[in-house]
Amino acid sequence: MGKITVTVIKADVGGFVGHSSVHEELLATAREQLAKSSLLVDYHVTHVGDDINLIMTHRQGVDSEEIHKLAWDTFVACTEVAKKLKLYGAGQDLLADAFSGNVKGLGPGIAEMEFTERTSEPIIVFAADKTEPGAWNMPLYKMFADPFNTIGLVIDPKMHDGFKFEVLDLIENKKIIFSTPEDLYDLLVFIGAPGRYCIKSVYSKSGEIAATSSTQRLNLMAGRYIGKDDPVLIVRCQSGLPAVGEALEPFARPHLVSGWMRGSHSGPLMPVSVADATPSRFDGPPRVIALGFQLAEGKLIGPQDFFADRAYDRAREIALRIADYMRSLGPFEPHRLHLEEMEYTTLPLVLEKLKDRFEKI
C-alpha cells in the first residue's frame, strides 16, 4: 500500500462564546467539507478551546498542495458560518485572502509526517489552546530523552541508542539537530527558551520519524497580535518508540506555558478531555487534549480520549492551584509575560501613546 501521511491542521475561525469553544455548526461544516474529498483515506474533526483541528490521513505526502487547499477551503467555509452566527474573531487565523499553494505562512498551524505503517501503528494527536509551539518542548524532552519519564530509554534495546531532535530558531529561521543522549546538555540550552527555540520533530537514530509539531507563530507572521498559536503535535508510539503511557506521562505534572489571557500571561498547561476543553477562567488556564488512534491501512481507529482518564484528576488539581497563585500576581511578572515577549501583544500600542510623557534624567 505504500506510505501513509498523517496531517493535522488547525485554525481559529470563530469562537463560541468569546474564546472558549467552537460552535457545533462549524464542526459539522468541517466534517461535511472533508467528507466530500476523494483525497483522504480517513479524517477526524475535533476542537480544543476555540480551535478547529482537522486530523487527516492520505497518500499525497507532506506539503501536498491539494491537502493544504482542502484544509484552507474547509476553514473558509467554517468562517462563513462563523460570520453568520456572529462568532468572535471570525476567520482570525486566516491571514491571507486566498490560498497560495501551501497553508504555511497563511495562519493555520500544521503538523504532518509520512511513514510506512508498522504491524501495529498507535499514534497520539495532542492539541493545545491558549499557548504557543514551545509548550511541547518539555513534554517532548521527557518522552524521548528523560529516563525518569521513559523507562524504555534504559531497558528497551530498540530505544537505548536515543533519539535526534530537530530544533528551530523561530526568530532567525534556522535549525539545528541534536543527538541524545550525547548532546543532551546542549539541547537543553536551547529548548529551555521555548519562546524562541522549538522542537519541530524527533527521529530515531536510524532516521525514522517519531514525532512532529506545528511551529507557526501567528504574531511573527502577521507582525501584530492576532492570538496565540495553539499548537498541535503528532507522536508515534510503541515498538522502539515511547509506549503510549510514556508519551502521556509528561502531562501528569503541569508545566508553565506562555499564552492564557490575551496571549500575555504564563499559566499551567492543564490536561483535559475534549468535553472539558472549553477554557473560560481568565480565558484559561491553557488546555491540552490527547486523542489516540490505531492506524489500519490509513484508517483512524478511534479516538481514545486519553485525558478523560481519572488518573489525570491530580494533574488538573495541581494546574488549578498553580493558576490560583499565578492569578494572584495580577499584572506583575512572572504572571504577565516579560516585555520582550509582549512585543507582539497590544502593549506596544499603550507604550506608543505614553512615549511623549517620558523625560530624560
Side-chain angles (χ1 to χ4, degrees):
M1 294 292 289
K3 292 186 176 183
I4 193 73
T5 305
V6 180
T7 297
V8 182
I9 305 182
K10 55 72 55 180
D12 175 358
V13 295
F16 172 70
V17 172
H19 291 291
S20 61
S21 189
V22 175
H23 195 280
E24 179 55 39
E25 282 195 42
L26 272 68
L27 297 175
T29 298
R31 295 185 191 105
E32 291 168 5
Q33 293 294 314
L34 297 186
K36 296 176 186 177
S37 176
S38 60
L39 296 170
L40 303 181
V41 176
D42 204 358
Y43 67 89
H44 179 78
V45 176
T46 189
H47 82 97
V48 54
D50 53 1
D51 291 289
I52 298 174
N53 294 271
L54 310 179
I55 303 170
M56 302 172 285
T57 60
H58 55 90
R59 301 192 186 278
Q60 312 302 312
V62 299
D63 290 328
S64 164
E65 180 175 345
E66 292 177 302
I67 296 299
H68 286 211
K69 187 176 189 304
L70 172 62
W72 178 266
D73 291 344
T74 298
F75 291 134
V76 169
C78 291
T79 296
E80 293 307 308
V81 177
K83 289 178 178 177
K84 180 191 72 173
L85 299 175
K86 294 189 175 181
L87 300 183
Y88 189 79
Q92 74 168 35
D93 280 7
L94 306 184
L95 302 182
D97 294 328
F99 181 73
S100 58
N102 192 301
V103 296
K104 294 177 181 178
L106 300 184
I110 178 169
E112 53 185 350
M113 58 166 67
E114 183 183 38
F115 52 85
T116 301
E117 270 189 36
R118 298 169 292 171
T119 303
S120 181
E121 190 67 63
I123 66 169
I124 304 175
V125 175
F126 296 92
D129 186 40
K130 305 298 184 287
T131 187
E132 62 184 7
W136 303 132
N137 282 10
M138 182 179 285
L140 283 170
Y141 159 73
K142 287 186 174 181
M143 289 178 209
F144 290 96
D146 182 2
F148 281 79
N149 180 90
T150 301
I151 189 59
L153 293 166
V154 177
I155 66 174
D156 184 346
K158 294 180 180 179
M159 297 177 65
H160 198 72
D161 286 344
F163 293 88
K164 294 186 292 185
F165 290 74
E166 178 185 5
V167 176
L168 304 190
D169 180 339
L170 300 183
I171 303 300
E172 296 189 7
N173 294 313
K174 55 187 180 181
K175 68 179 183 179
I176 183 172
I177 304 293
F178 294 100
S179 183
T180 59
E182 55 269 33
D183 293 337
L184 184 59
Y185 295 164
D186 294 332
L187 170 69
L188 289 170
V189 168
F190 293 93
I191 66 171
R196 175 166 179 169
Y197 299 100
C198 295
I199 298 171
K200 173 59 181 175
S201 298
V202 181
Y203 299 87
S204 69
K205 288 293 180 68
S206 64
E208 185 78 6
I209 185 72
T212 193
S213 69
S214 62
T215 54
Q216 291 75 24
R217 289 288 302 270
L218 267 174
N219 304 331
L220 295 180
M221 287 187 282
R224 67 188 190 281
Y225 180 68
I226 298 293
K228 290 314 286 182
D229 315 291
D230 307 331
V232 291
L233 168 68
I234 308 168
V235 178
R236 299 172 71 195
C237 299
Q238 309 290 158
S239 302
L241 300 172
V244 167
E246 291 170 332
L248 295 169
E249 181 65 12
F251 300 93
R253 179 68 61 172
H255 63 292
L256 291 174
V257 297
S258 296
W260 207 344
M261 172 60 75
R262 301 179 185 271
S264 304
H265 295 79
S266 294
L269 186 61
M270 185 165 74
V272 296
S273 65
V274 174
D276 289 331
T278 54
S280 58
R281 182 190 175 184
F282 204 58
D283 281 356
R287 309 291 165 100
V288 58
I289 61 171
L291 298 185
F293 299 91
Q294 289 285 160
L295 289 186
E297 304 300 336
K299 290 290 185 179
L300 292 164
I301 311 303
Q304 174 83 293
D305 190 349
F306 282 122
F307 291 151
D309 185 357
R310 291 187 61 187
Y312 296 94
D313 285 351
R314 184 68 57 83
R316 290 184 273 271
E317 179 183 334
I318 293 170
L320 292 175
R321 289 183 178 181
I322 295 171
D324 284 342
Y325 172 72
M326 297 301 283
R327 285 298 304 125
S328 73
L329 301 178
F332 288 86
E333 299 178 13
H335 183 32
R336 193 184 79 178
L337 301 183
H338 56 77
L339 285 178
E340 184 177 288
E341 289 196 68
M342 296 288 282
E343 181 180 354
Y344 287 99
T345 70
T346 52
L347 181 63
L349 300 177
V350 177
L351 298 178
E352 178 68 21
K353 187 176 72 171
L354 297 176
K355 69 177 183 179
D356 292 337
R357 294 177 58 181
F358 280 89
E359 299 178 5
K360 287 188 176 181
I361 56 173

